[in-house]
């Protein structure tokens, strides 16, 4: 075997190792982030929290997450993505362990705010590392595959958490979650490298992409964040990302409570529904990356706008459709099978949209601004997550949990129409404008 072939073989193995560490690390982030959500029915049943207090805890985390995910995106353009990823795991794991020893609402909210702040380091670091380690032709597929780590975690962890709570208590469940996250941090420190160059390979796909964009007379390398915030495409993506993230967070945070409190289903039925959402999200996210990579190769230069957004229209309409079924046809007597089908379809559409919006935000702008671009749309997404916390729990307190999903159903349908109307919008940065001769 030639030296070049040996080098390529070693690079491919290192790529896979990098992906595996990121996959396990981000799955740990998700397990940690949702650990209190899994415990909420038990906490409310025991009288430790009411609906308003549960919303306060959720919003405290989501508020911090919104702030830190924006900061994390900006920081990922400035500092080591590996150590950003590591730091978030350590802080979020530590906050969860401390939460398991607390009892007051003030401490619960403060610690979950800290957890949310630490969580914001996770995906921006992943996005930056993916761009360095994988070529533009692989980017959409590996982005979606890595996003699926959240769904794998979300599918398995409701059952794990419910079993631990049933066998021991909610404190033990959070202690396990914190321990898993801290263990993942150790693996990241030992096994992850910031770039192929740091690992000894003469490759850096993010630099190659930048070189392609800056060939000839392109001005991409001179663009600043001021040019970025003037891009209409960025605000289009931000608007629809806010809606879909509000829907996703509400479904995963309040879906089981809707089934348990409004409709009288068991805790395991509620956990099964959430698991189905995450399982559907796994397949939907991967399908979105693969299909939109194909659309971009086939139609990327033939149609105005980003061709990935055409797929987003259909997935967004699917979100509205499955929410309609959930609020209209699900009753106390609905079978577990039917609930699983609804959860699977809803999760597939939700996570497909999330994957597409994240990909287009990162790939549509030069490498030195890709983290910031993703940070802007992620900030909008997390505003949606904040709205799904205390405001939604207040709506549930005034009416019921079903009312939340009716509102989200209408918003999702409106977002799909919004995408149809503005489907031809482009990033609109200076390098896209024709130059005078």
């Amino acid at each position: 075997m030639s030296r070049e072939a040996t080098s390529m073989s070693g690079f491919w193995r290192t790529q896979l190792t990098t992906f595996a560490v990121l996959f396990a690390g981000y799955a740990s982030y998700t397990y940690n982030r949702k650990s209190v959500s899994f415990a909420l029915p038990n906490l409310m049943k025991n009288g430790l929290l009411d609906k308003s207090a549960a919303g306060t805890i959720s919003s405290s985390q989501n508020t911090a997450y919104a702030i830190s995910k924006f900061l994390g995106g900006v920081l990922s353009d400035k500092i080591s993505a590996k150590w950003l990823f590591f730091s978030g795991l350590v802080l979020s794991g530590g906050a969860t362990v401390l939460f398991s020893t607390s009892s007051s609402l003030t401490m619960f909210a403060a610690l979950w705010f800290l957890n949310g702040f630490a969580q914001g380091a996770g995906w921006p670091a992943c996005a930056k590392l993916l761009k360095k380690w994988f070529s533009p032709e692989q980017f959409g597929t590996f982005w979606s595959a890595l996003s699926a780590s959240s769904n794998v975690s979300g599918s398995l962890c409701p059952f794990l958490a419910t079993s631990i709570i049933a066998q021991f208590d909610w404190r033990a469940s959070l202690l396990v979650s914190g321990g898993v996250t801290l263990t993942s941090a150790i693996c990241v420190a030992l096994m992850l490298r910031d770039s192929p160059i740091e690992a000894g390979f003469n490759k850096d796909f993010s630099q190659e992409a930048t070189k392609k964009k800056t060939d000839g007379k392109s001005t991409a390398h001179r663009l600043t964040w001021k040019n970025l915030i003037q891009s209409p495409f960025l605000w289009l993506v931000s608007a629809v990302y806010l809606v879909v993230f509000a829907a996703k967070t509400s479904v995963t945070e309040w879906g089981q409570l809707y089934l348990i409190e409004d409709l009288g289903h068991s805790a395991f039925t509620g956990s099964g529904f959430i698991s189905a959402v995450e399982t559907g999200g796994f397949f939907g996210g991967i399908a979105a990356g693969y299909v939109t990579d194909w659309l971009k190769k086939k139609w990327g230069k033939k149609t105005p706008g980003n061709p990935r957004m055409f797929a987003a229209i259909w997935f967004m309409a699917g979100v509205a459709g499955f929410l309609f079924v959930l609020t209209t046809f699900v009753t106390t007597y609905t079978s577990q099978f039917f609930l699983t089908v609804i959860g699977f379809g809803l999760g597939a559409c939700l996570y497909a949209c999330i994957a597409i919006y994240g990909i287009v935000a990162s790939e549509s702008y030069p490498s030195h601004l890709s983290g910031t671009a993703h940070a802007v749309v992620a900030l909008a997404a997390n505003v949606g997550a904040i709205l799904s916390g205390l405001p939604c729990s207040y709506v549930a307190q005034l009416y019921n949990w079903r009312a939340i999903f009716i509102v989200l159903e209408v918003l999702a349908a409106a977002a799909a129409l919004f995408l149809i109307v503005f489907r031809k919008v482009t990033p609109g940065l200076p390098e896209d404008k024709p130059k005078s001769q």
Side-chain angles (χ1 to χ4, degrees):
M1 185 178 290
S2 68
R3 180 179 300 177
E4 182 178 355
T6 303
S7 177
M8 286 302 298
S9 175
F11 179 67
W12 176 239
R13 285 196 301 271
T14 308
Q15 266 190 323
L16 290 180
T17 300
T18 298
F19 181 79
V21 172
L22 290 175
F23 192 96
Y26 199 69
S28 299
Y29 266 106
T30 302
Y31 178 27
N32 186 281
R33 184 164 64 249
K34 296 297 180 185
S35 55
V36 166
S37 298
F38 302 143
L40 277 180
N42 187 265
L43 287 165
M44 295 174 73
K45 181 180 178 181
N46 293 337
L48 292 172
L49 297 174
D50 58 18
K51 288 180 180 177
S52 178
T56 299
I57 292 171
S58 177
S59 283
S60 68
Q61 184 194 48
N62 290 330
T63 301
Y65 190 39
I67 297 167
S68 68
K69 199 169 184 181
F70 177 79
L71 293 175
V74 175
L75 283 173
S76 71
D77 286 334
K78 309 290 184 184
I79 66 173
S80 164
K82 168 187 173 176
W83 294 113
L84 183 64
F85 194 63
F86 169 84
S87 300
L89 285 168
V90 171
L91 289 175
S92 61
T96 305
V97 171
L98 290 174
F99 192 106
S100 71
T101 66
S102 303
S103 298
S104 71
L105 176 59
T106 301
M107 285 302 297
F108 285 159
L111 287 168
W112 225 228
F113 182 91
L114 177 60
N115 179 283
F117 194 81
Q119 287 279 334
W123 191 256
C126 286
K128 184 60 67 171
L129 288 163
L130 280 177
K131 199 157 189 177
K132 288 182 178 180
W133 277 95
F134 297 93
S135 70
E137 293 76 19
Q138 300 171 302
F139 187 63
T141 300
F142 276 93
W143 176 292
S144 297
L146 183 55
S147 298
S149 66
S150 179
N151 305 118
V152 172
S153 179
S155 297
L156 299 176
C157 293
F159 293 109
L160 175 61
T162 301
S163 298
I164 294 173
I165 291 169
Q167 188 75 21
F168 301 99
D169 59 13
W170 65 270
R171 295 181 189 278
S173 177
L174 265 70
L175 192 60
V176 169
S177 172
V180 167
T181 307
L182 292 172
T183 301
S184 294
I186 295 172
C187 294
V188 166
L190 295 176
M191 301 174 67
L192 196 62
R193 294 293 179 269
D194 241 319
S195 68
I197 292 173
E198 185 181 306
F201 300 99
N202 188 27
K203 281 183 177 290
D204 190 331
F205 292 114
S206 64
Q207 290 181 4
E208 289 178 16
T210 301
K211 286 178 183 178
K212 288 178 183 177
K213 287 185 178 181
T214 56
D215 280 345
K217 298 181 180 180
S218 171
T219 60
H221 63 293
R222 294 196 296 271
L223 294 176
T224 69
W225 65 269
K226 291 182 180 179
N227 301 117
L228 189 68
I229 62 174
Q230 293 171 2
S231 169
F233 183 74
L234 190 69
W235 298 111
L236 169 66
V237 176
S238 297
V240 292
Y241 208 177
L242 185 153
V243 173
V244 80
F245 221 81
K248 189 274 291 186
T249 307
S250 293
V251 167
T252 55
E253 292 274 350
W254 311 123
Q256 65 176 340
L257 289 174
Y258 167 53
L259 295 175
I260 294 168
E261 294 195 357
D262 283 10
L263 301 178
H265 287 279
S266 68
F268 276 95
T269 298
S271 294
F273 174 76
I274 300 302
S275 181
V277 169
E278 299 291 352
T279 303
F282 174 85
F283 291 102
I286 290 178
Y290 182 80
V291 169
T292 59
D293 271 354
W294 178 81
L295 285 173
K296 193 167 179 66
K297 289 174 186 175
K298 187 173 179 64
W299 301 105
K301 297 181 180 179
K302 298 179 181 179
T303 105
N306 191 312
R308 297 189 199 272
M309 298 300 278
F310 287 88
I313 293 171
W314 291 100
F315 285 120
M316 204 77 203
V319 171
F322 279 107
L323 284 173
F324 175 77
V325 173
L326 180 66
T327 57
T328 306
F329 297 106
V330 173
T331 69
T332 304
Y333 306 103
T334 300
S335 69
Q336 180 75 63
F337 175 77
F338 189 50
L339 284 172
T340 299
V341 171
I342 295 170
F344 185 93
L346 183 56
C349 292
L350 284 168
Y351 282 94
C353 289
I354 289 169
I356 292 169
Y357 302 148
I359 292 167
V360 298
S362 292
E363 75 177 0
S364 298
Y365 302 96
S367 180
H368 70 286
L369 289 175
S370 64
T372 304
H374 188 266
V376 172
V377 299
L379 180 62
N382 284 289
V383 169
I386 292 168
L387 294 175
S388 74
L390 184 57
C392 281
S393 68
Y394 183 67
V395 170
Q397 198 161 343
L398 288 178
Y399 301 99
N400 51 37
W401 295 110
R402 179 173 177 267
I404 296 171
F405 298 110
I406 291 175
V407 172
L408 291 168
E409 170 194 328
V410 173
L411 289 174
L417 291 173
F418 191 67
L419 284 172
I420 291 171
V421 172
F422 295 102
R423 66 187 181 278
K424 295 183 180 180
V425 172
T426 63
L429 291 174
E431 74 269 22
D432 297 325
K433 298 177 182 178
K435 295 178 174 59
S436 57
Q437 299 299 319

